[in-house]
Amino acid sequence: MRKMIMTTALILLFGMWGLCAFADDQGDILNELDSYMDSDETKMESSKGIVGQFYDHFSGELEIRSAYFMDSAFESSEDYLNVEDERVTGKVRANWSSWMGEDWWSLHAAGWFEDGTEDAYSGVTQFMTDKENQIRYGELNELFFNLSRGEAGFTIGKKIFKNGISTIYSPGNLYTSADLSDPVNPVQTGSWQMSCDYSSEDTVYTYSILPFYQEKKLPSFGSRWILSDLPSGYSLPPYSLVAGSPEELLEVLYYYVDLLMNGRFIDLINNNTTIAVREDLPGNGIGDWGWFGRVKKSSGMLDSFASAYYGPAFYPVIKLESKIGSATLTKETPKVIQFAGGFSTTWKGTELHGEALYSYSPNDHDDSYLNYSAGFCSSIEDPVILPGIKKIDFVIEYAGEVITEDQSAKDYILSSKYTRIGRNDILASALATITDDLSLHYLSDFTLSENSSFQRIGASLRVMPGVVLSLDFELFQGPPETYFGRWHNNDRIVTSVKWSI
């Protein structure tokens, strides 16, 4: 109750600030895409010792965030599913990062502390891999050494792994994990790795080993984000599930909203078959490691890359094995071979970029497919065209997919196509700078083949150096069985205050 009162007060306070922002003569560019494109840190000389460097290079951000959901959560007919229906939620999060080092080595660390109104928080960082789905009160997200010798650089430790070149949606950026407890505000998490970079003139060669697979954290059991509703008129008898399976089933349904509409699964339930739902994640043996190589080249105004990968996939698939009277439904992470490439260039002040990834499933446990995106970034600074606006930066991209071979392995009933994003989408982002302290922003993803969409529109106001207030409206549209449509009851108003030091 105390947390709800606090977050309700924050909604009212920040909402008033947000409305005032539209009439205020202050403003600044607050680029929303910074959350997707964090730049590498640059070393600075320090006159202090090693420990003093860690203090000198320390940076932090405190965010207080609250949300008001416009609709109630769906009402489920399932006895095992108790959906949280808090219309007002909130959280406090403190991000931090720092580093220390000398000319030939450096040690970097970053993480956060967090608490909120959801009943999903427990413990702190798990070493190497975290097999539990709880949100951690304290997370050490990055901890890695950089070693350099001549043209070669080595990275050992836990670090966010980035690939790809596109701005909003990158098909090739799949070799990482994420906290998806708030699905439309994903947080990239670090991956344990051993990487080597070798520079030769304008070309950089990278080779990486990713020895520990980290599963993505999904919304908690009972969260209004876990699924929108079960198919109309259908109820899954609780006695059909063995102990421990309801939680696993809800995680499966996070990815596969249409799962219960599969004929074979429904037939088993109707025949009083006992179902066990399980998750099969990659282990830590060499056979489960990820192997990655990339070449990046910069020539004049053209940047390009090509990469190759073998290891666990980013998206899961579903396997259903049955025998008389019982069956096992498994969410599995298959092995894949993937090739990616892309480019970015500038033409008449407009940045053009394109990227593609081909994913091959060696054992047909998943589809083999080509996923691609292309788009452009540009800016308008013309007081005649934009009266009262200093500048507009905008990005438009199209993402599409071609399946070259369907999933066909025995007992595999659902491929990752039900979970893959960017299959036929128009994505857009815009940032309008009104004054040095006030900006308006917009982000959207329209899934054309599903007639569904996500849109975010809002404003940000810097009230003093280092302190920014934001007000956002997030809207979901589409049929319940679609990626965004399943959250049609989660339209919300989000307010936040960020203090950076």
Side-chain angles (χ1 to χ4, degrees), residues 15-73:
M16 292 173 62
W17 272 111
L19 293 174
C20 291
F22 288 92
D24 202 290
D25 287 332
Q26 308 174 44
D28 191 30
I29 296 179
L30 301 167
N31 196 331
E32 181 165 293
L33 296 179
D34 284 350
S35 61
Y36 302 100
M37 301 181 300
D38 294 327
S39 60
D40 292 337
E41 296 168 347
T42 302
K43 291 187 178 181
M44 298 173 60
E45 294 184 359
S46 173
S47 59
K48 299 184 179 181
I50 297 299
V51 176
Q53 287 189 40
F54 202 81
Y55 175 82
D56 287 345
H57 301 150
F58 182 86
S59 63
E61 179 186 79
L62 177 65
E63 179 182 12
I64 302 174
R65 179 183 176 89
S66 60
Y68 171 73
F69 289 90
M70 301 178 192
D71 299 314
S72 298

Side-chain angles (χ1 to χ4, degrees), residues 21 55 123 148 154-155 199 201 239 281 283 286 298 300 308 337 348 392 448 462:
Y55 175 82
S148 60
F154 302 88
T155 299
S199 300
E201 297 181 348
Y239 60 78
L281 297 177
I286 293 180
S298 179
I337 299 172
K348 294 185 177 181
I392 290 182
L448 303 181
R462 183 173 61 184

